[in-house]
Amino acid sequence: MGLDRYRWITKQTKIEHLLGNNQLESRIVITIAVKDKETGLVVPHPITHFIREKYEFKGKSLSSQLNPARQIVKFLNFINEQIILKNRDFLQLQEKGIRGLTLIHGSLYITSCTEKKCQYGYVRGHIERYLIHFYDYLLKMKLLDEEIELDTYITRSGDEAIISPFLDPTLDTQYPPTDGPIKQKLKDFGDDPKKRNKLVYEFLEEARRVSPEIAFGIGLQIFGGLRRGEVVNLTVGSVSTDFLRGSNFVAVLDNQHRLFTHLKDTTKEQVKRPRLQPVLPSDYLKELYDAHMKLNEKVKKKNPHAFFVDRKGNTISGGTYERNFTQVKKAYLDRLNGSSGRYSDWRMLDSAIWGTHIGRGIFTNYLYGRGLDDRQMAILRGDKNTESAKSYIDYRNAISNFQDAMELFSTNEILDAEKDLAKKWDWEVFSKR
């Protein structure tokens, strides 16, 4: 029985729903199903829960459920077609099923839609948006083997949005042409170490002015690679009293049962990988730690376990941390915009999309600058495997090799460029895998 015998479909079904008062109510539900093209048999698929969880249970209209269902069905059929064509990027899905889904599959689908001349607004506003929701659902349900981290940010209108993971330059996702600017995902404060350090210092100083209660948390993200949820899960016992004097570690543990029992939704308070996290030695981070401890001494905590609290003593949640981070970001961008000679820095930070995850990106760049291999970087980043670290190293090597190649053409050795390129440019770094 070949895979080409089956096709994913969307189906609208009328059901009788039993209400709490034992009354029956007629209702139409959206189902994602698999159809046997030879027999006509249609079998509902459990992935329909994605539509239920993300749209139906949140009160979305029937059309608002049907649109994402249709887009995901197109994506799933695209995957089947690629498996039939024996595309090596998709063959693992034949064995692993949905667990083998990775970002490259979504990226290749978006690129395929672009090659079919789909309009920019349709690709970004429908195809990509629903793909992001789908991957977010699969991650929260722990249905993926790949370690994917979705970062969020607060828009200018105050809404929360997920930064598209398909904007990652290592994926080479192709989008349709557009007259407007495309905001890229910012993973670091630039490639120049001196400029990066200057921006890091200024940003942390801005945090001390605008939201001092999270300044040390941002520092831990930058110098220790902690995720947002890992920062807010720190307790008073997570950080040693001799931090950066004798101990260069923080204990990253899931402390939700101690800190966040009052929250109904703890999506932003998740700890991805409990571990003893090493922190890069920094006198400045030690200064931030000392300032944080003095700040805590002035506040009467409502939870004695909490390490990050606001001015009223409330435990800082992941959502509060993100909102405070956004305030720091806005204040820093305003300061840069009003400073003479800082246009290029302001433009780099303002024209891109970034959130709390930027600290982890800067930390990764610090590790790369120390010449660590993918295994060492994965351990220090708290990754499950080396894929993320390897992808980052390949990307940075590609940039470095490209810069080396471009420098050749600024010399007088133009005639020997081909020979020099052969020596300096490793084409393998452009591999997506």
Side-chain angles (χ1 to χ4, degrees), residues 275-318:
R275 63 193 184 279
L276 198 60
Q277 176 62 48
V279 178
L280 294 174
S282 165
D283 289 338
Y284 182 59
L285 183 62
K286 182 66 178 68
E287 182 181 321
L288 292 178
Y289 168 75
D290 291 339
H292 183 80
M293 297 305 290
K294 289 178 181 178
L295 201 64
N296 277 357
E297 290 173 2
K298 299 177 182 178
V299 178
K300 186 177 181 180
K301 298 180 184 179
K302 295 182 179 179
N303 185 330
H305 298 292
F307 188 70
F308 287 97
V309 294
D310 63 18
R311 292 175 175 86
K312 295 181 179 180
N314 299 307
T315 304
I316 292 179
S317 65

Side-chain angles (χ1 to χ4, degrees), residues 7-13 29-34 45 47-56 60-78 109 122 126-127 129-131 133-134:
R7 187 158 187 83
W8 294 89
I9 64 169
T10 54
K11 186 176 174 61
Q12 298 183 53
T13 307
V29 296
I30 305 299
T31 304
I32 295 177
V34 178
H45 195 279
I47 205 65
T48 298
H49 184 256
F50 161 65
I51 301 299
R52 302 275 191 274
E53 177 67 23
K54 283 286 190 179
Y55 306 98
E56 181 185 339
K60 299 296 183 181
S61 66
L62 203 62
S63 62
S64 294
Q65 299 173 44
L66 193 57
N67 289 334
R70 284 173 172 167
Q71 290 297 338
I72 296 308
V73 159
K74 290 178 183 178
F75 175 50
L76 295 173
N77 281 322
F78 170 77
Y109 177 60
Y122 180 69
H126 291 268
I127 296 172
R129 179 160 64 97
Y130 294 133
L131 275 183
H133 290 176
F134 187 52

Side-chain angles (χ1 to χ4, degrees), residues 4 8 23 25 85 117 167 179 360 371 391 406 411 425:
D4 54 351
W8 294 89
Q23 297 294 312
E25 176 189 65
L85 292 171
K117 307 300 182 185
L167 291 172
D179 293 333
R360 189 163 164 79
S391 174
M406 291 302 99
T411 71
W425 201 319

Side-chain angles (χ1 to χ4, degrees), residues 159-175:
D159 298 321
E160 182 187 71
I162 299 176
I163 301 175
S164 172
F166 305 111
L167 291 172
D168 191 309
T170 63
L171 294 172
D172 290 334
T173 309
Q174 296 179 33
Y175 293 95

Side-chain angles (χ1 to χ4, degrees), residues 58 92 172 185 298 311 359 368 405 407:
K58 294 183 178 178
Q92 66 179 13
D172 290 334
K185 179 180 178 179
K298 299 177 182 178
R311 292 175 175 86
Y368 175 83
E407 286 175 5

Side-chain angles (χ1 to χ4, degrees), residues 51-268:
I51 301 299
R52 302 275 191 274
E53 177 67 23
K54 283 286 190 179
Y55 306 98
E56 181 185 339
F57 295 163
K58 294 183 178 178
K60 299 296 183 181
S61 66
L62 203 62
S63 62
S64 294
Q65 299 173 44
L66 193 57
N67 289 334
R70 284 173 172 167
Q71 290 297 338
I72 296 308
V73 159
K74 290 178 183 178
F75 175 50
L76 295 173
N77 281 322
F78 170 77
I79 289 174
N80 280 5
E81 292 165 5
Q82 298 306 308
I83 294 174
I84 292 169
L85 292 171
K86 298 191 182 303
N87 185 328
R88 67 174 186 170
D89 286 317
F90 291 79
L91 293 183
Q92 66 179 13
L93 293 170
Q94 199 166 13
E95 299 176 4
K96 291 186 174 182
I98 205 75
R99 297 203 72 87
L101 195 67
T102 67
L103 288 178
I104 190 62
H105 301 127
S107 171
L108 290 172
Y109 177 60
I110 293 173
T111 297
S112 172
C113 293
T114 298
E115 291 172 347
K116 291 177 181 176
K117 307 300 182 185
C118 292
Q119 294 297 308
Y120 177 82
Y122 180 69
V123 170
R124 297 302 305 271
H126 291 268
I127 296 172
E128 183 180 51
R129 179 160 64 97
Y130 294 133
L131 275 183
I132 293 171
H133 290 176
F134 187 52
Y135 276 82
D136 182 47
Y137 164 81
L138 294 174
L139 285 169
K140 287 176 180 175
M141 296 297 291
K142 303 187 186 304
L143 292 174
L144 295 181
D145 285 342
E146 183 181 40
E147 190 164 8
I148 299 173
E149 297 179 1
L150 296 180
D151 193 15
T152 58
Y153 73 106
I154 306 297
T155 65
R156 284 188 171 89
S157 60
D159 298 321
E160 182 187 71
I162 299 176
I163 301 175
S164 172
F166 305 111
L167 291 172
D168 191 309
T170 63
L171 294 172
D172 290 334
T173 309
Q174 296 179 33
Y175 293 95
T178 176
D179 293 333
I182 300 178
K183 284 204 167 189
Q184 298 293 335
K185 179 180 178 179
L186 189 67
K187 302 182 74 171
D188 185 21
F189 277 174
D191 297 322
D192 182 346
K194 288 185 178 180
K195 176 181 281 191
R196 182 195 308 126
N197 288 341
K198 180 179 181 180
L199 294 177
V200 163
Y201 173 75
E202 291 177 344
F203 188 71
L204 287 170
E205 284 297 296
E206 197 68 48
R208 296 177 77 171
R209 284 188 288 268
V210 177
S211 186
E213 58 269 27
I214 70 163
F216 178 60
I218 298 175
L220 285 176
Q221 291 194 279
I222 291 172
F223 295 103
L226 273 69
R227 301 168 177 91
R228 173 195 59 209
E230 295 170 346
V231 170
V232 297
N233 264 279
L234 295 178
T235 65
V236 290
S238 300
V239 184
S240 173
T241 53
D242 64 345
F243 180 66
L244 291 183
R245 287 193 181 91
S247 171
N248 274 36
F249 298 87
V250 293
V252 175
L253 298 170
D254 187 342
N255 289 306
Q256 294 181 63
H257 62 291
R258 291 190 177 94
L259 302 174
F260 305 114
T261 54
H262 60 290
L263 298 179
K264 292 182 179 179
D265 182 359
T266 57
T267 303
K268 296 179 181 294

